[in-house]
Amino acid sequence: TKSMDAIARCQVKHTKFSKILESVPTHNECKGLTLKDYMIKPVQRLCKYPLLFRELIRFTPTDHADYEVLQTTLVKVQNIADHVNNIAASQENFGKLLEIASKLTGYEGPIVEADRKFIREGLVIKSSAHPDSKDKQSSPVERHMILFN
């Protein structure tokens, strides 16, 4: 995401650069893809390698000279893909926490913390009156709730 942030800053600062990026998908060589599309391709490809090696192992006889090497490679490639996926999930979570912190009003505590994970947000309806309330027939109240770990 650092590279995408740098590109966004350059687009704001340099209108010529921004116009070039806007025109990229229109070129035949680019097949309708943007720079962002091309930047994510290596990461997507990396995550497909475990599937490739699983298929290679599936069709390789167990007594073949490369069988053990393929299995070792699969484990290593899967570990790398898992690591990449974990980093992407952490960055996505961090971005969501920053977004929530920037929008939240009336709460003074910290939102962005290393071990905090965003789980879900949405509308809930509070329909019950407080037990000590004299008004036993309270009307439902809509609340926006955010759930963290």
Side-chain angles (χ1 to χ4, degrees):
T1 62
K2 287 182 183 179
S3 56
M4 292 307 297
D5 292 342
I7 290 170
R9 284 192 305 275
C10 286
Q11 283 182 286
V12 170
K13 282 185 180 178
H14 308 285
T15 56
K16 190 174 180 180
F17 178 70
S18 181
K19 288 180 183 182
I20 290 170
L21 284 186
E22 287 174 15
S23 72
V24 166
T26 64
H27 296 278
N28 289 337
E29 304 87 22
C30 296
K31 301 175 184 173
L33 299 174
T34 66
L35 178 60
K36 184 178 179 180
D37 295 329
Y38 280 106
M39 290 177 69
I40 195 69
K41 278 200 175 289
V43 175
Q44 290 172 334
R45 189 171 295 126
L46 181 66
C47 293
K48 290 180 181 179
Y49 286 150
L51 299 172
L52 171 68
F53 280 98
R54 277 192 204 98
E55 287 298 302
L56 283 171
I57 290 169
R58 192 171 131 211
F59 291 105
T60 303
T62 57
D63 59 347
H64 191 279
D66 294 334
Y67 188 80
E68 286 185 35
V69 173
L70 288 171
Q71 286 188 315
T72 302
T73 303
L74 171 61
V75 170
K76 290 179 180 182
V77 168
Q78 185 64 57
N79 288 341
I80 292 168
D82 290 345
H83 182 70
V84 167
N85 286 334
N86 289 338
I87 289 172
S90 293
Q91 288 179 339
E92 186 178 329
N93 183 68
F94 183 72
K96 186 66 176 175
L97 294 177
L98 287 174
E99 177 189 332
I100 291 168
S102 71
K103 293 179 180 179
L104 197 61
T105 58
Y107 177 74
E108 300 300 320
I111 296 295
V112 180
E113 292 185 347
D115 61 341
R116 179 160 288 153
K117 303 282 185 267
F118 168 80
I119 296 175
R120 171 174 255 163
E121 71 178 310
L123 294 176
V124 295
I125 298 177
K126 180 183 175 209
S127 62
S128 61
H130 189 274
D132 298 335
S133 173
K134 293 179 185 175
D135 181 18
K136 300 293 182 196
Q137 296 287 355
S138 68
S139 59
V141 179
E142 204 172 77
R143 300 275 189 231
H144 186 90
M145 300 292 284
I146 303 169
L147 181 63
F148 300 103
N149 63 336

